[in-house]
């Protein structure tokens, strides 16, 4: 078993067997953070430390889970946000429930079960403060809605989401309910009862485009639904059927700037972010990490009104996929395409930090670029793009060169090597 969960339904921390888990705080404080429990492995005669990275921005980061509604049509998201330092802050498990492992095969593209490197990684913890005290901001934090990839779920992008939060963003990482998550669930009105939504492969005899196209429209609709949730909170409306753990959502009311909202995602989530621009005019731009453009119908390309930053990896993209991106960049000069050299599709996920060099290469979770360097390029390029299109008064323009593909390990557009698509 990979770990225990925060039980949203019952309002307590519960294990898979139903018993509560001790919530004793870890030593150390957010003001003087200790590294999270990590994994050490021998590799080619040496030892390496496997852990999710600490954030580099000026803010401490907290997170909480929010579930809205008692049906499959509701929302489930993990919110990363700037928080105040807190002594003894608890770090949550990276994989919150063992049920999430069943659908990860398509995400890792390697096996039908969690690979060997995932079992020890199940004990890894995310270096953020669980339900940490929200840090008020009179000017309002800009908001990012984040969409996960096919076969993933809300926690697998904790590194990039918490990094952006540390620079002063509220980041809402969705867990989609279109059967594209490795697994997800909702809580019925019956106390303590969970209904699980399993991952679903393309049904036999059905064309993949039509199956995935329906999903991407639902996913983009959920991104819009998430934005409306924050609008309701911002307007002081009472949001019914909200389940969360010891976190008062009303603290967000005057501290999130809903005029500065972007949508972001990885792979299937990347094309979801592009489609969300069509569905919701209040999304001012999108950041697409290694986007899988296949599910988007051709007729919608002329309808994408806002700029997109495509941050691609070297080993994933195909000429056909990039041609679809160029259809957008040819219509909008502010749409940018860059590629991170030495990276693979999983380089923009947490897996790249939790697999050693040898195992990571075998499983396709790690490229030749240092994972920390890859995260820096991804987050810095995103920050520069967000400053430009959300009109932020920060110093993120120091990384503007990345948007032109200028810098170490980054190039403009997309050189083609061996794709894993």
């Amino acid at each position: 078993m990979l770990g225990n969960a925060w039980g949203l339904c019952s309002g307590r921390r519960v294990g898979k067997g139903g018993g509560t888990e001790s919530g004793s705080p870890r030593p150390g404080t957010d003001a003087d953070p200790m590294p999270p429990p990590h994994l050490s492995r021998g590799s080619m005669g040496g030892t390496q430390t496997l852990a999710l990275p600490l954030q580099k921005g000026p803010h401490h980061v907290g997170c909480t889970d929010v579930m809205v509604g008692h049906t499959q049509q509701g929302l489930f998201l993990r919110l990363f946000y700037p928080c105040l330092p807190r002594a003894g802050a608890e770090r949550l498990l990276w994989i919150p429930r063992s049920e999430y492992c069943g659908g990860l095969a398509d995400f890792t593209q390697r096996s039908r079960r969690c690979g060997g490197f995932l079992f020890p990684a199940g004990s890894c913890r995310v270096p953020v403060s669980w339900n940490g005290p929200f840090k008020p901001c009179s000017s309002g934090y800009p908001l990012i809605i984040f969409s996960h990839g096919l076969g993933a779920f809300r926690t697998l992008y904790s590194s990039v989401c918490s990094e952006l939060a540390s620079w002063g963003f509220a980041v809402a990482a969705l867990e989609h309910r279109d059967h594209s998550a490795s697994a997800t669930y909702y809580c019925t009105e019956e106390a303590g009862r969970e209904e699980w939504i399993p991952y679903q492969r393309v049904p036999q005899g059905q064309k993949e485009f039509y199956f995935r196209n329906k999903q991407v429209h639902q996913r983009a609709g959920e991104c819009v639904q998430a934005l409306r949730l924050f609008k309701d909170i911002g307007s002081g409306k009472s949001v019914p059927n909200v389940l969360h753990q010891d976190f008062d959502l009303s603290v967000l009311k005057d501290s999130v700037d809903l005029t500065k909202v972007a949508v972001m995602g990885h792979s299937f989530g990347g094309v979801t972010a592009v489609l969300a621009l069509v569905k919701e005019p209040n999304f001012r731009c999108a950041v697409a990490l290694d986007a899988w453009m296949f599910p988007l119908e051709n007729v919608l390309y002329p309808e994408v009104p806002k700029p997109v930053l495509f941050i691609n990896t070297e080993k994933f993209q195909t000429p056909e996929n990039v041609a679809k991106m160029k259809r957008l960049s040819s219509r909008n000069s502010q749409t940018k395409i860059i590629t991170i050299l030495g990276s693979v599709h999983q380089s923009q996920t947490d897996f790249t930090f939790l697999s050693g060099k040898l195992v990571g290469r075998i499983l396709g979770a790690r490229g030749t670029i240092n994972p920390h360097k890859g995260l820096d390029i991804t987050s810095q390029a995103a920050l520069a793009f967000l400053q430009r299109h959300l009109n932020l008064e920060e110093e993120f323009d120091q990384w503007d060169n990345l948007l032109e593909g200028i810098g170490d390990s980054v190039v403009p557009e997309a050189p083609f090597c061996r794709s894993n698509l």
Side-chain angles (χ1 to χ4, degrees):
M1 182 166 62
L2 287 177
N4 295 325
W6 281 96
L8 287 174
C9 296
S10 60
R12 60 192 175 92
R13 197 174 192 182
V14 296
K16 181 174 173 59
T20 58
E21 178 188 348
S22 170
S24 56
R26 293 178 62 248
T29 68
D30 277 347
D32 183 19
M34 296 180 63
H38 58 267
L39 311 168
S40 295
R41 283 190 181 175
S43 176
M44 306 298 287
T47 300
Q48 55 189 306
T49 298
L50 305 179
L52 296 182
L54 294 173
Q55 303 82 35
K56 294 184 176 180
H59 300 279
H60 300 286
V61 178
C63 81
T64 192
D65 281 341
V66 179
M67 186 180 288
V68 181
H70 292 291
T71 70
Q72 189 170 340
Q73 286 67 49
L75 278 177
F76 192 17
L77 61 86
R78 173 158 291 180
L79 179 65
F80 296 83
Y81 54 88
C83 78
L84 299 170
R86 181 176 66 175
E90 185 169 8
R91 311 302 197 212
L92 65 159
L93 287 170
W94 175 58
I95 297 181
R97 300 283 291 264
S98 59
E99 289 90 340
Y100 284 104
C101 282
L104 280 175
D106 278 29
F107 187 68
T108 59
Q109 303 177 18
R110 289 294 169 182
S111 68
R112 290 184 175 273
R113 61 184 178 84
C114 293
F117 75 102
L118 281 179
F119 283 110
S123 63
C124 180
R125 293 182 181 267
V126 183
V128 298
S129 177
W130 177 246
N131 286 324
F134 184 80
K135 184 177 181 180
C137 177
S138 59
S139 60
Y141 300 116
L143 175 66
I144 299 171
I145 306 296
F146 192 98
S147 173
H148 64 71
L150 184 65
F153 52 97
R154 71 190 187 282
T155 76
L156 295 191
Y157 302 90
S158 294
S159 299
V160 66
C161 289
S162 61
E163 178 64 20
L164 293 172
S166 77
W167 290 97
F169 289 80
V171 184
L174 289 172
E175 192 161 284
H176 290 292
R177 289 174 165 177
D178 61 328
H179 293 276
S180 69
S182 66
T184 188
Y185 67 98
Y186 62 92
C187 299
T188 67
E189 292 190 63
E190 180 182 343
R193 184 181 164 207
E194 298 171 353
E195 287 288 340
W196 281 84
I197 304 168
Y199 176 80
Q200 184 178 354
R201 292 182 173 84
V202 180
Q204 188 173 4
Q206 186 170 344
K207 291 187 176 181
E208 183 173 19
F209 173 79
Y210 297 108
F211 184 73
R212 299 303 185 198
N213 178 257
K214 182 180 179 181
Q215 286 183 313
V216 77
H217 276 271
Q218 179 176 333
R219 290 164 134 261
E222 290 172 344
C223 292
V224 175
Q225 190 179 350
L227 175 55
R228 289 174 182 165
L229 169 65
F230 285 93
K231 285 185 175 181
D232 287 345
I233 295 170
S235 65
K237 288 184 180 179
S238 175
V239 181
N241 300 323
V242 176
L243 306 174
H244 52 83
Q245 286 284 330
D246 303 323
F247 187 87
D248 182 4
L249 293 176
S250 67
V251 300
L252 305 175
K253 181 177 181 297
D254 297 315
S255 292
V256 176
D257 188 344
L258 294 173
T259 68
K260 298 178 179 179
V261 185
V263 59
M264 185 173 182
H266 174 251
S267 193
F268 201 10
V271 73
T272 301
V274 172
L275 180 56
L277 293 180
V278 177
K279 290 183 178 287
E280 175 52 68
N282 287 316
F283 287 129
R284 294 176 60 175
C285 61
V287 178
L289 307 180
D290 227 12
W292 181 44
M293 302 298 291
F294 169 77
L296 188 63
E297 60 264 46
N298 289 331
V299 69
L300 285 181
Y301 282 85
E303 304 299 322
V304 178
K306 305 290 177 59
V308 181
L309 171 62
F310 292 101
I311 306 178
N312 293 334
T313 66
E314 185 178 2
K315 299 293 186 180
F316 180 75
Q317 294 297 330
T318 63
E320 295 79 11
N321 211 47
V322 173
K324 293 176 182 290
M325 299 176 187
K326 288 184 176 180
R327 288 186 64 181
L328 297 180
S329 63
S330 67
R331 293 174 178 274
N332 188 330
S333 63
Q334 294 302 308
T335 289
K336 304 292 183 181
I337 306 170
I338 63 173
T339 296
I340 301 176
L341 299 178
S343 59
V344 297
H345 196 50
Q346 304 297 337
S347 295
Q348 293 172 329
T349 75
D350 294 340
F351 284 125
T352 193
F353 294 99
L354 300 177
S355 57
K357 290 182 180 179
L358 179 60
V359 174
R361 301 278 177 80
I362 294 171
L363 294 175
R366 190 163 176 169
T368 56
I369 192 170
N370 180 284
H372 296 271
K373 183 176 183 180
L375 176 62
D376 285 347
I377 294 172
T378 298
S379 58
Q380 290 168 7
L383 289 169
F385 186 77
L386 292 170
Q387 168 152 322
R388 182 178 296 183
H389 298 292
L390 299 183
N391 296 326
L392 306 180
E393 296 181 0
E394 302 289 347
E395 297 180 355
F396 305 150
D397 54 350
Q398 64 184 295
W399 298 307
D400 273 353
N401 280 348
L402 292 174
L403 302 182
E404 307 303 326
I406 300 172
D408 186 27
S409 299
V410 62
V411 295
E413 297 199 343
F416 295 114
C417 296
R418 179 179 55 84
S419 171
N420 290 326
L421 267 178

